[in-house]
């Protein structure tokens, strides 16, 4: 797609620089906890933590109290480095991509899209276990709308909404069962989510691991482009 004239607006969207913190202070305040300058999601919802873009020593101390000694602080895409005695657990290179400002033509399969809720959590967790799209917990579906596609009654594809900084909605948990790939289900679900997000007057965005080149190629075909490169990091609290 032609990005001329719209990358400037995207690049100035500072709320995307701290998407976890912006979500926890706003749309997801009821799904998290704060101590001082540090916030975390409820553990059954998500693992992500926030300390702001330029945290000071007190912010890290607040987060340590929230998370607890010996526990994992999942800093998502936060570039700030914790104190030296916080043990690195993982680091994955990735990128943040932003989607179109208008509803797309519905791409991919014409398969029926169904809504997913609390009653579908067991099969959602089963699909996640088989496809490994990223963190997904028993109450993750409460973060936003989750949609799926069934084949012969079984859930074979899923995608949903996760982080919600002001004016934006993150698309996440995009996954398709191995036996159902090649049918355009992911494109169908992403297209439906983009349509719904744009209809609310918001913009879609997402995060993807750099090595997932197949997903990156799909997202680019659907009108997403890279805003910035990030590193997903986790640390053990001393």
């Amino acid at each position: 797609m032609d990005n001329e004239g719209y990358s400037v607006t995207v690049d100035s969207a500072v709320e995307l620089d701290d998407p976890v913190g912006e979500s926890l202070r706003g749309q997801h305040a009821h799904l998290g906890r704060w101590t001082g300058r540090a916030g975390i999601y409820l553990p059954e919802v998500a693992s992500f933590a926030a300390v702001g873009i330029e945290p000071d020593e007190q912010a890290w101390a607040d987060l340590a109290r929230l998370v607890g000694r010996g526990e994992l602080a999942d800093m998502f895409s936060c570039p700030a480095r914790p104190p030296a005695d916080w043990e690195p657990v993982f680091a994955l290179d990735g990128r943040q991509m932003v989607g179109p400002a208008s509803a797309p033509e519905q791409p991919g399969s014409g398969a029926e899209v169904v809504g997913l809720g609390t009653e579908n959590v067991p099969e959602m967790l089963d699909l996640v276990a088989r496809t490994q799209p990223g963190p997904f917990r028993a109450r993750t579906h409460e973060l936003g709308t989750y949609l799926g596609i069934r084949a012969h009654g079984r859930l074979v594809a899923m995608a949903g909404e996760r982080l919600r900084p002001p004016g934006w909605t993150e698309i996440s948990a995009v996954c398709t069962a191995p036996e159902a790939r090649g049918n355009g289900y992911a494109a169908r679900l992403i297209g439906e989510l983009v349509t719904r997000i744009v209809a609310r007057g918001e913009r879609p965005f997402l995060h993807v691991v750099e090595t997932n080149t197949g997903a990156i190629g799909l997202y680019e075909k659907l009108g997403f482009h890279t805003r910035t490169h990030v590193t997903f990091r986790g640390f053990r609290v001393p």
Side-chain angles (χ1 to χ4, degrees):
M1 64 177 289
D2 182 4
N3 293 324
E4 184 179 355
Y6 117 101
S7 61
V8 173
T9 301
V10 169
D11 290 342
S12 64
V14 294
E15 57 274 11
L16 294 184
D17 293 337
D18 181 23
V20 175
E22 293 285 356
S23 300
L24 283 169
R25 283 186 286 269
Q27 293 280 352
H28 292 160
H30 64 294
L31 296 173
R33 294 188 294 125
W34 284 87
T35 293
R37 292 181 56 191
I40 60 173
Y41 277 97
L42 300 176
E44 60 271 26
V45 175
S47 59
F48 308 138
V51 288
I53 299 173
E54 297 181 351
D56 56 17
E57 183 178 340
Q58 184 59 52
W60 292 111
D62 292 339
L63 182 58
R65 282 195 294 274
L66 268 178
V67 175
R69 296 184 63 179
E71 299 298 325
L72 176 69
D74 184 344
M75 302 312 303
F76 195 64
S77 61
C78 177
R81 294 285 185 171
D85 57 347
W86 290 45
E87 176 191 358
V89 176
F90 67 84
L92 295 171
D93 290 332
R95 62 178 71 185
Q96 183 188 81
M97 304 182 74
V98 294
S102 59
E105 295 182 7
Q106 286 297 336
S109 167
E112 180 185 4
V113 173
V114 298
L116 301 173
T118 302
E119 68 278 10
N120 306 114
V121 167
E123 57 183 338
M124 295 167 78
L125 291 172
D126 175 71
L127 181 60
V128 166
R130 292 192 291 134
T131 58
Q132 300 295 315
F136 192 91
R137 300 184 174 188
R139 292 180 59 192
T140 298
H141 67 283
E142 296 180 26
L143 294 171
T145 298
Y146 278 80
L147 304 174
I149 292 174
R150 298 185 183 280
H152 308 292
R154 188 180 189 188
L155 185 67
V156 295
M158 179 177 76
E161 299 173 348
R162 190 170 63 179
L163 300 178
R164 297 285 304 278
W168 297 83
T169 294
E170 182 195 27
I171 294 175
S172 181
V174 180
C175 56
T176 304
E179 69 274 14
R181 290 171 184 165
N183 293 305
Y185 291 161
R188 175 79 174 93
L189 291 167
I190 294 169
E192 179 62 30
L193 286 169
V194 169
T195 297
R196 296 183 184 208
I197 292 166
V198 170
R200 296 198 300 259
E202 299 177 347
R203 289 284 297 278
F205 75 113
L206 54 81
H207 294 87
V208 60
V209 175
E210 199 66 45
T211 54
N212 196 351
T213 54
I216 292 171
L218 172 63
Y219 300 148
E220 289 176 339
K221 288 180 181 178
L222 296 177
F224 286 78
H225 76 276
T226 299
R227 175 179 181 262
T228 187
H229 292 271
V230 300
T231 302
F232 307 110
R233 295 186 176 93
F235 299 88
R236 188 76 59 192
V237 178

